[in-house]
Amino acid sequence: SAVISQKPSRDICQRGTSLTIQCQVDSQVTMMFWYRQQPGQSLTLIATANQGSEATYESGFVIDKFPISRPNLTFSTLTVSNMSPEDSSIYLCSVDGGGANVLTFGAGSRLTVL
Amino acid sequence: AQSVTQLGSHVSVSEGALVLLRCNYSSSVPPYLFWYVQYPNQGLQLLLKYTSAATLVKGINGFEAEFKKSETSFHLTKPSAHMSDAAEYFCAVRVSGGGADGLTFGKGTHLIIQP
């Protein structure tokens, strides 16, 4: 299955700043998915990133707050903009791999906003 | 739209006892169903998956799940709990099968193993 590397693994940020999370995959993939896991909660899909086109955002998530880049088939970034404490979460990147219709997840980026 | 309901946010069992974590789904088309496990401070690991082959699915670490269409359920079981099974378990559904849609997750069940 695909191996996913996310950076940073964790960070502490100040309110009002922005942070970019990187997701690198060891193989070419068509779709990349970004999820958010708020403290003690389940995972919620933020957006789907397809190389060469604009990301598709789920209800409740907007491009101005969570801009996504997908420059090639192995890499994507998610930016959390103008952060507030409510953005404190684990952000996870995932791709198809490990079997039919299976999503493989990165270890996540744990973000704390003060 | 699909959805997943996990009954019980916390389940506590004794070491050696049966583990039963409940998952019910809602989907307008035949679904693909998954169980993932998340150990403390770690990412998600696939336990098992149902993709329309056998209804009884065996996964890693001795876990298995049975797909019951009539009950729209996909409960996770393990005959004998081990201390190392303590973790957060997520049931998830995917319907497109074509890669365009991600997974929809349940709220998770925290499994506690009592010594």
Side-chain angles (χ1 to χ4, degrees):
Chain A
S1 61
V3 177
I4 301 172
S5 301
Q6 277 190 240
K7 292 181 181 179
S9 58
R10 59 179 62 228
D11 206 341
I12 300 173
C13 302
Q14 297 299 316
R15 180 196 301 260
T17 63
S18 298
L19 178 75
T20 296
I21 301 167
Q22 299 179 5
C23 177
Q24 179 76 52
V25 189
D26 70 343
S27 58
Q28 293 184 338
V29 293
T30 304
M31 310 295 292
M32 296 179 79
F33 305 90
W34 285 98
Y35 283 84
R36 181 177 73 181
Q37 185 178 23
Q38 295 177 299
Q41 302 297 315
S42 186
L43 286 83
T44 301
L45 182 63
I46 298 172
T48 303
N50 193 1
Q51 195 266 337
S53 63
E54 292 286 332
T56 301
Y57 289 83
E58 297 298 303
S59 177
F61 298 96
V62 295
I63 187 171
D64 289 347
K65 176 67 175 178
F66 298 101
I68 289 172
S69 77
R70 183 76 201 277
N72 57 51
L73 291 173
T74 63
F75 187 78
S76 178
T77 66
L78 169 75
T79 299
V80 186
S81 303
N82 188 25
M83 289 183 288
S84 67
E86 291 71 34
D87 294 319
S88 297
S89 298
I90 301 173
Y91 293 85
L92 298 105
C93 170
S94 70
V95 302
D96 273 292
N101 295 295
V102 173
L103 287 191
T104 298
F105 286 81
S109 299
R110 184 182 294 270
L111 174 62
T112 301
V113 184
L114 303 178
Chain B
Q2 64 274 15
S3 65
V4 174
T5 301
Q6 290 183 242
L7 189 62
S9 60
H10 291 76
V11 170
S12 180
V13 303
S14 299
E15 190 174 18
L18 171 72
V19 175
L20 171 60
L21 304 183
R22 299 178 186 274
C23 172
N24 288 87
Y25 68 92
S26 172
S27 174
S28 58
V29 298
Y32 299 97
L33 294 162
F34 308 85
W35 277 98
Y36 283 84
V37 60
Q38 186 177 38
Y39 297 102
N41 299 313
Q42 294 187 27
L44 273 77
Q45 180 181 3
L46 179 69
L47 268 180
L48 49 79
K49 63 180 180 181
Y50 166 76
T51 55
S52 76
T55 57
L56 181 62
V57 181
K58 295 186 183 299
I60 62 172
N61 302 337
F63 284 93
E64 62 182 37
E66 186 173 8
F67 172 70
K68 291 187 177 180
K69 183 178 179 180
S70 61
E71 299 177 7
T72 61
S73 69
F74 191 57
H75 302 330
L76 182 71
T77 61
K78 182 174 181 177
S80 178
H82 191 273
M83 296 298 292
S84 61
D85 294 327
E88 191 80 17
Y89 292 80
F90 294 97
C91 183
V93 62
R94 191 177 194 187
V95 295
S96 77
D101 295 340
L103 291 168
T104 299
F105 285 86
K107 292 186 180 297
T109 298
H110 185 64
L111 179 62
I112 301 164
I113 310 297
Q114 304 281 3

